[in-house]
Amino acid sequence: MTKPHLSLTVVPDAPTPAETAAFLAALRDNLATGYVPVAERGEGGIGTLGEKRLHAVMKSFCSAEPATHEVKLGGGTRYTADVLSDNVIYEIQTGSFRPLPPRLNYYLEHTPCDIVVVKPIPKLRWMRWMEPDTGELSTRRRVPRAGDIRDFLSEVYYLIPYLPLPRFSVRLVFLEVEDFKWRNGKSRDGKHYGAERYERIPLSLLGTKTFRTPADYRVFLPDTDLLPGAFTAPEYAIITGINGRATYGTLRALCAMGLLAQTDMRGRAMVFERI
């Protein structure tokens, strides 16, 4: 099932020449080994590295210097920064933001660094199925359901305490990717009910979007001719197309950034008012 239409338009910033060059260099450095025959790869990911390639490419995209990758912070701490460069910690999160708060708390309390959470979003996605026994690959096809800004908004709840902090920001990186999945699901065709993704390979950089100041988050508030000065969460969801847990996460994020305030109740629904 495809995602419902997102009527709130958030356009990524086109990559600069420097960003494009950095991304292409990251691809070159991390995909240089090429594709190893499936039977020789094992379960660690395509190629010889155990680390997933998307995460590795994102680290090199943030900083080309290997010495800045996987930097241990402080004596005896269990925390290692994905990238520490020029007094900035880049924390790359390809999955949920839920595990991040303890790590972010440590960075804020024990380092003077700025912190950037980097979230890759697969805006354009291709898929190839792999036979578990032979490693044979299916024909490449485009996946109609791809990522968008809701990949961030559905997880933003876990970052709300950090959003107003001057040392904290979120950088979304929109990508073209190719997914490789085992045809080992529990359905008859092996493509559903538990089919495992083997690897995700980034192909190209489509754009970025950084959220740091209240002005950056204002893109999630439609004009008053669409959304009145006071409204409920269900009304916001209808107007913007931001549904489910992303609705309340977004509204609470806007409150944290000083753009909204929860002022009243309308029946069982909370009322939010523009500031």
Side-chain angles (χ1 to χ4, degrees):
M1 184 175 67
T2 59
K3 293 180 181 178
H5 175 65
L6 181 64
S7 57
L8 187 71
T9 303
V10 179
V11 180
D13 298 325
T16 65
E19 288 175 331
T20 300
F23 185 81
L24 292 175
L27 286 182
R28 181 189 65 237
D29 293 344
N30 288 281
L31 303 182
T33 54
Y35 291 130
V36 178
V38 173
E40 301 175 14
R41 293 176 191 163
E43 294 298 325
I46 291 177
T48 58
L49 295 178
E51 180 180 34
K52 293 297 183 180
R53 290 299 178 95
L54 175 59
H55 194 271
V57 169
M58 285 293 97
K59 286 197 305 186
S60 296
F61 176 59
C62 292
S63 173
E65 295 297 328
T68 66
H69 300 172
E70 302 298 326
V71 178
K72 188 82 170 177
L73 298 175
T77 178
R78 60 190 177 94
Y79 292 119
T80 300
D82 285 331
V83 177
L84 174 55
S85 176
D86 296 329
N87 212 38
V88 179
I89 293 174
Y90 297 91
E91 186 65 30
I92 298 158
Q93 201 69 7
T94 57
S96 172
F97 291 158
R98 186 174 184 176
L100 283 182
R103 180 179 295 271
L104 297 178
N105 290 340
Y106 182 89
Y107 294 161
L108 289 166
E109 293 172 9
H110 298 280
T111 80
C113 301
D114 289 348
I115 301 163
V116 181
V117 171
V118 179
K119 173 72 172 176
I121 295 180
K123 185 175 175 62
L124 174 58
R125 192 156 65 99
W126 304 89
M127 171 73 74
R128 297 185 77 176
W129 290 97
M130 302 165 57
E131 294 295 337
D133 296 331
T134 65
E136 182 182 356
L137 293 173
S138 70
T139 303
R140 186 192 202 209
R141 69 177 182 85
R142 181 170 176 173
V143 180
R145 184 176 62 184
D148 61 28
I149 198 71
R150 280 169 293 193
D151 291 10
F152 165 52
L153 297 179
S154 63
E155 296 290 331
V156 73
Y157 173 83
Y158 302 108
L159 302 182
I160 286 173
Y162 312 100
L163 300 182
L165 302 180
R167 290 167 53 196
F168 183 82
S169 62
V170 178
R171 188 184 191 195
L172 309 182
V173 182
F174 295 87
L175 300 171
E176 178 187 10
V177 303
E178 185 170 17
D179 284 345
F180 294 80
K181 294 186 74 172
W182 293 112
R183 198 194 297 265
N184 64 351
K186 296 179 174 58
S187 61
R188 180 171 297 180
D189 62 3
K191 296 181 179 180
H192 303 284
Y193 316 121
E196 297 173 275
R197 186 169 71 210
Y198 181 57
E199 185 63 285
R200 170 168 284 175
I201 302 295
L203 301 177
S204 64
L205 176 64
L206 302 179
T208 64
K209 195 73 175 177
T210 298
F211 293 91
R212 180 180 295 109
T213 69
D216 298 324
Y217 286 85
R218 200 176 293 278
V219 296
F220 302 120
L221 269 180
D223 295 335
T224 52
D225 58 342
L226 294 176
L227 190 69
F231 53 87
T232 64
E235 290 169 343
Y236 179 84
I238 291 171
I239 294 298
T240 63
I242 298 172
N243 298 286
R245 67 178 184 177
T247 304
Y248 289 94
T250 304
L251 292 173
R252 294 193 181 280
L254 293 173
C255 289
M257 299 307 291
L259 300 173
L260 292 179
Q262 182 186 340
T263 59
D264 204 352
M265 298 291 293
R266 190 181 300 165
R268 299 178 62 182
M270 294 182 289
V271 176
F272 296 87
E273 187 171 341
R274 297 173 187 265
I275 297 178

XYZ file of all heavy atoms in Angstrom, residues 154-207:
460
model
N 8.331 10.917 11.553
C 7.825 9.802 12.348
C 8.771 9.438 13.488
O 8.379 8.724 14.423
C 7.601 8.577 11.454
O 8.824 8.142 10.884
N 10.017 9.944 13.442
C 11.004 9.657 14.483
C 11.399 10.892 15.287
O 12.148 10.784 16.258
C 12.267 9.072 13.835
C 12.053 7.738 13.145
C 11.789 6.618 14.132
O 12.292 6.700 15.271
O 11.068 5.670 13.775
N 10.902 12.069 14.909
C 11.376 13.309 15.519
C 11.032 13.388 17.004
O 11.699 14.103 17.767
C 10.812 14.536 14.761
C 9.335 14.732 15.043
C 11.609 15.800 15.105
N 10.017 12.656 17.450
C 9.607 12.665 18.860
C 10.800 12.428 19.793
O 10.922 13.068 20.844
C 8.537 11.604 19.090
C 8.155 11.416 20.537
C 7.228 12.266 21.149
C 8.733 10.408 21.301
C 6.887 12.096 22.495
C 8.402 10.244 22.632
C 7.484 11.088 23.222
O 7.154 10.924 24.547
N 11.704 11.512 19.406
C 12.826 11.149 20.281
C 13.872 12.257 20.377
O 14.734 12.227 21.256
C 13.483 9.866 19.768
C 12.531 8.700 19.693
C 12.089 8.217 18.460
C 12.044 8.093 20.846
C 11.204 7.157 18.384
C 11.160 7.029 20.780
C 10.739 6.574 19.542
O 9.853 5.516 19.479
N 13.816 13.227 19.483
C 14.804 14.310 19.473
C 14.274 15.613 20.042
O 15.025 16.596 20.108
C 15.278 14.555 18.029
C 15.909 13.377 17.296
C 16.370 13.815 15.909
C 17.064 12.775 18.081
N 13.022 15.651 20.449
C 12.386 16.909 20.843
C 13.176 17.675 21.907
O 13.341 18.904 21.785
C 10.931 16.659 21.286
C 10.080 16.368 20.039
C 10.359 17.846 22.057
C 8.665 15.953 20.344
N 13.711 17.049 22.963
C 14.445 17.841 23.967
C 15.685 18.529 23.406
O 16.170 19.506 23.994
C 14.835 16.796 25.028
C 13.893 15.655 24.829
C 13.616 15.634 23.353
N 16.204 18.046 22.281
C 17.465 18.570 21.742
C 17.258 19.612 20.644
O 18.180 20.388 20.363
C 18.303 17.411 21.193
C 18.402 16.254 22.151
C 17.603 15.126 21.988
C 19.257 16.308 23.246
C 17.667 14.069 22.891
C 19.327 15.261 24.153
C 18.523 14.143 23.969
O 18.575 13.107 24.867
N 16.081 19.639 20.048
C 15.865 20.509 18.887
C 16.168 21.986 19.158
O 16.745 22.659 18.298
C 14.419 20.356 18.379
C 13.992 18.961 17.927
C 12.561 18.987 17.409
C 14.937 18.398 16.876
N 15.787 22.554 20.325
C 16.059 23.988 20.542
C 17.506 24.311 20.896
O 17.867 25.494 20.944
C 15.134 24.348 21.723
C 14.230 23.171 21.922
C 14.975 21.992 21.415
N 18.335 23.305 21.149
C 19.686 23.561 21.633
C 20.558 24.114 20.504
O 20.555 23.581 19.384
C 20.307 22.277 22.192
C 19.533 21.602 23.325
C 20.261 20.349 23.791
C 19.320 22.566 24.487
N 21.327 25.147 20.770
C 22.128 25.780 19.707
C 23.223 24.879 19.147
O 23.692 25.107 18.039
C 22.718 27.021 20.386
C 22.645 26.737 21.847
C 21.440 25.875 22.056
N 23.609 23.855 19.886
C 24.673 22.962 19.418
C 24.128 21.775 18.628
O 24.909 20.930 18.175
C 25.479 22.432 20.611
C 26.333 23.488 21.298
C 26.846 22.980 22.641
N 27.525 21.688 22.523
C 27.789 20.896 23.559
N 27.427 21.261 24.789
N 28.407 19.741 23.374
N 22.830 21.719 18.430
C 22.213 20.521 17.845
C 21.533 20.844 16.527
O 20.879 21.882 16.378
C 21.181 19.941 18.812
C 20.545 18.657 18.324
C 21.187 17.450 18.496
C 19.319 18.686 17.680
C 20.620 16.276 18.037
C 18.737 17.519 17.225
C 19.389 16.311 17.403
N 21.642 19.932 15.556
C 20.916 20.070 14.294
C 20.701 18.690 13.686
O 21.340 17.704 14.081
C 21.664 20.983 13.323
O 22.931 20.448 13.000
N 19.799 18.641 12.729
C 19.499 17.408 11.990
C 19.731 17.679 10.513
O 19.285 18.707 9.988
C 18.046 16.949 12.208
C 17.752 15.696 11.380
C 17.769 16.702 13.684
N 20.426 16.773 9.863
C 20.675 16.907 8.427
C 20.102 15.686 7.706
O 20.541 14.555 7.945
C 22.162 17.025 8.132
C 22.460 17.359 6.672
C 23.947 17.373 6.411
N 24.260 17.936 5.103
C 25.428 17.812 4.490
N 26.406 17.150 5.091
N 25.628 18.337 3.310
N 19.108 15.911 6.865
C 18.524 14.850 6.062
C 19.268 14.782 4.735
O 19.509 15.802 4.094
C 17.034 15.117 5.819
C 16.187 15.422 7.058
C 14.734 15.616 6.664
C 16.329 14.329 8.110
N 19.623 13.564 4.331
C 20.349 13.349 3.077
C 19.471 12.465 2.187
O 19.258 11.286 2.491
C 21.721 12.693 3.321
C 22.468 12.523 2.011
C 22.545 13.521 4.307
N 18.944 13.041 1.124
C 18.035 12.330 0.224
C 18.843 11.637 -0.867
O 19.664 12.264 -1.547
C 17.026 13.307 -0.382
C 16.106 13.912 0.629
C 16.473 15.065 1.324
C 14.881 13.333 0.912
C 15.633 15.630 2.265
C 14.029 13.882 1.857
C 14.399 15.034 2.537
N 18.584 10.329 -1.045
C 19.434 9.496 -1.884
C 18.627 8.680 -2.898
O 17.441 8.395 -2.687
C 20.221 8.508 -1.018
C 21.164 9.080 0.044
C 21.664 7.951 0.934
C 22.319 9.818 -0.597
N 19.308 8.306 -3.963
C 18.882 7.196 -4.811
C 19.631 5.967 -4.320
O 20.852 6.012 -4.146
C 19.213 7.468 -6.271
C 18.833 6.312 -7.198
C 19.312 6.514 -8.620
O 20.104 7.467 -8.859
O 18.931 5.712 -9.497
N 18.896 4.872 -4.057
C 19.528 3.674 -3.503
C 19.054 2.439 -4.263
O 18.025 2.458 -4.946
C 19.214 3.500 -1.999
C 19.643 4.715 -1.197
C 17.735 3.200 -1.782
N 19.814 1.372 -4.104
C 19.416 0.070 -4.632
C 19.419 -0.928 -3.489
O 20.428 -1.081 -2.784
C 20.366 -0.392 -5.743
C 19.916 -1.678 -6.407
C 20.701 -2.004 -7.659
O 21.794 -1.421 -7.844
O 20.235 -2.832 -8.466
N 18.272 -1.574 -3.266
C 18.126 -2.556 -2.205
C 18.294 -3.966 -2.763
O 17.787 -4.280 -3.854
C 16.748 -2.449 -1.545
C 16.642 -1.263 -0.617
O 17.686 -0.683 -0.259
O 15.511 -0.903 -0.238
N 18.985 -4.807 -1.996
C 19.097 -6.223 -2.303
C 18.409 -6.985 -1.169
O 18.781 -6.827 -0.007
C 20.564 -6.638 -2.411
C 21.290 -6.018 -3.574
C 21.770 -4.712 -3.508
C 21.485 -6.738 -4.733
C 22.437 -4.147 -4.573
C 22.158 -6.176 -5.814
C 22.627 -4.875 -5.738
N 17.413 -7.805 -1.507
C 16.676 -8.545 -0.487
C 16.678 -10.034 -0.830
O 16.537 -10.420 -1.992
C 15.230 -8.039 -0.384
C 15.113 -6.609 0.131
C 13.674 -6.202 0.358
C 13.090 -6.845 1.583
N 11.751 -6.317 1.910
N 16.825 -10.838 0.232
C 16.709 -12.283 0.056
C 15.258 -12.642 -0.255
O 14.340 -12.126 0.376
C 17.122 -13.012 1.332
C 18.566 -12.916 1.697
C 19.104 -12.257 2.767
C 19.663 -13.509 1.002
N 20.461 -12.395 2.784
C 20.837 -13.166 1.706
C 19.768 -14.292 -0.152
C 22.103 -13.577 1.303
C 21.029 -14.700 -0.557
C 22.171 -14.350 0.166
N 15.076 -13.560 -1.176
C 13.730 -14.089 -1.428
C 13.493 -15.243 -0.440
O 13.460 -16.418 -0.804
C 13.609 -14.582 -2.873
C 12.167 -14.744 -3.349
C 12.091 -15.530 -4.631
N 12.756 -14.880 -5.739
C 12.155 -14.110 -6.637
N 10.855 -13.905 -6.542
N 12.842 -13.577 -7.625
N 13.362 -14.871 0.840
C 13.225 -15.881 1.888
C 12.052 -15.596 2.814
O 12.035 -16.039 3.963
C 14.523 -15.979 2.701
C 14.842 -14.685 3.448
O 14.192 -13.657 3.246
N 15.842 -14.724 4.319
N 11.076 -14.812 2.334
C 9.901 -14.522 3.152
C 9.000 -15.734 3.302
O 9.199 -16.775 2.662
N 8.003 -15.603 4.131
C 7.117 -16.720 4.442
C 5.949 -16.848 3.467
O 5.134 -17.749 3.596
C 6.598 -16.575 5.874
C 7.711 -16.667 6.922
C 7.171 -16.501 8.326
C 8.266 -16.745 9.358
N 9.412 -15.859 9.199
N 5.845 -15.915 2.526
C 4.802 -16.029 1.510
C 5.229 -17.012 0.429
O 6.397 -17.426 0.363
C 4.522 -14.661 0.878
O 5.698 -14.169 0.255
N 4.297 -17.376 -0.457
C 4.588 -18.378 -1.485
C 5.703 -17.923 -2.421
O 6.547 -18.725 -2.837
C 3.319 -18.681 -2.278
C 3.511 -19.719 -3.366
C 2.189 -20.137 -3.971
N 1.325 -20.770 -2.988
C 0.098 -21.238 -3.256
N -0.406 -21.111 -4.476
N -0.628 -21.811 -2.316
N 5.724 -16.605 -2.735
C 6.757 -16.114 -3.650
C 8.034 -15.694 -2.934
O 9.013 -15.287 -3.561
C 6.228 -14.944 -4.484
C 5.823 -13.744 -3.629
O 5.993 -13.792 -2.389
O 5.331 -12.756 -4.199
N 8.052 -15.792 -1.591
C 9.244 -15.462 -0.824
C 9.515 -13.988 -0.662
O 10.547 -13.597 -0.117
N 8.587 -13.129 -1.110
C 8.829 -11.691 -1.107
C 8.093 -10.955 0.015
O 8.227 -9.737 0.127
C 8.408 -11.085 -2.453
C 9.226 -11.576 -3.638
C 8.765 -10.917 -4.917
C 9.582 -11.370 -6.116
N 9.128 -10.713 -7.374
N 7.347 -11.656 0.822
C 6.554 -10.987 1.852
C 6.701 -11.725 3.180
O 7.241 -12.826 3.251
C 5.079 -10.930 1.437
C 4.844 -10.258 0.118
N 4.883 -8.897 -0.042
C 4.601 -10.772 -1.120
C 4.660 -8.576 -1.297
N 4.479 -9.698 -1.983
N 6.230 -11.044 4.237
C 6.177 -11.645 5.572
C 7.543 -12.108 6.055
O 7.796 -13.301 6.244
C 5.183 -12.816 5.620
C 3.885 -12.557 4.931
C 3.459 -13.360 3.885
C 3.083 -11.472 5.303
C 2.266 -13.116 3.235
C 1.881 -11.216 4.660
C 1.482 -12.036 3.625
O 0.300 -11.787 2.974
N 8.445 -11.185 6.191
C 9.731 -11.496 6.800
C 10.904 -11.605 5.859
O 11.999 -11.989 6.289
N 10.726 -11.255 4.591
C 11.869 -11.268 3.671
C 12.924 -10.280 4.175
O 12.616 -9.144 4.521
C 11.423 -10.899 2.258
N 14.186 -10.705 4.219
C 15.259 -9.910 4.829
C 15.987 -9.057 3.788
O 16.309 -9.547 2.700
C 16.275 -10.838 5.487
C 15.715 -11.665 6.626
C 16.737 -12.675 7.106
O 16.819 -13.767 6.529
O 17.471 -12.339 8.063
N 16.267 -7.805 4.156
C 17.108 -6.980 3.300
C 18.568 -7.332 3.556
O 19.024 -7.341 4.694
C 16.872 -5.497 3.567
C 17.635 -4.619 2.567
C 17.227 -3.169 2.641
N 17.697 -2.545 3.859
C 17.080 -1.540 4.476
N 15.951 -1.073 4.001
N 17.586 -1.027 5.575
N 19.272 -7.607 2.487
C 20.674 -8.001 2.580
C 21.595 -6.792 2.619
O 22.523 -6.719 3.426
C 20.995 -8.878 1.368
C 22.411 -9.397 1.317
C 22.930 -10.144 2.365
C 23.206 -9.173 0.201
C 24.217 -10.642 2.309
C 24.496 -9.669 0.135
C 25.003 -10.406 1.194
O 26.274 -10.887 1.133
N 21.324 -5.832 1.762
C 22.180 -4.656 1.697
C 21.442 -3.521 0.994
O 20.532 -3.767 0.202
C 23.466 -5.001 0.943
C 24.504 -3.905 0.905
C 25.036 -3.515 2.269
O 24.286 -2.821 2.985
O 26.167 -3.882 2.630
N 21.815 -2.297 1.325
C 21.312 -1.102 0.637
C 22.524 -0.325 0.132
O 23.371 0.099 0.921
C 20.457 -0.254 1.566
C 20.100 1.121 1.012
C 19.013 1.786 1.840
N 17.713 1.198 1.548
C 16.586 1.512 2.180
N 16.622 2.390 3.170
N 15.443 0.926 1.857
N 22.587 -0.134 -1.180
C 23.722 0.528 -1.811
C 23.296 1.924 -2.265
O 22.368 2.053 -3.071
C 24.231 -0.267 -3.025
C 24.635 -1.688 -2.613
C 25.405 0.446 -3.691
C 25.808 -1.744 -1.679
N 23.918 2.979 -1.764
C 23.614 4.320 -2.272
C 24.159 4.501 -3.682
O 25.260 4.030 -3.987
C 24.306 5.248 -1.269
C 25.404 4.420 -0.679
C 24.933 2.998 -0.691
N 23.390 5.177 -4.525
C 23.779 5.366 -5.921
C 24.065 6.823 -6.267
O 25.006 7.112 -6.998
C 22.685 4.843 -6.859
C 22.318 3.368 -6.712
C 21.179 3.018 -7.664
C 23.520 2.473 -6.966
N 23.226 7.739 -5.766
C 23.437 9.153 -6.093
C 22.832 10.028 -5.001
O 21.926 9.611 -4.276
C 22.838 9.510 -7.456
O 21.433 9.357 -7.450
N 23.344 11.247 -4.920
C 22.876 12.245 -3.960
C 21.828 13.126 -4.643
O 22.113 13.759 -5.658
C 24.050 13.090 -3.477
C 23.736 14.259 -2.539
C 23.159 13.764 -1.229
C 24.999 15.093 -2.300
N 20.608 13.163 -4.078
C 19.513 13.918 -4.679
C 19.278 15.265 -4.007
O 18.675 16.152 -4.610
C 18.222 13.087 -4.632
C 18.291 11.724 -5.323
C 16.960 11.002 -5.182
C 18.694 11.868 -6.779
N 19.723 15.432 -2.781
C 19.526 16.705 -2.083
C 19.731 16.545 -0.597
O 19.893 15.435 -0.085
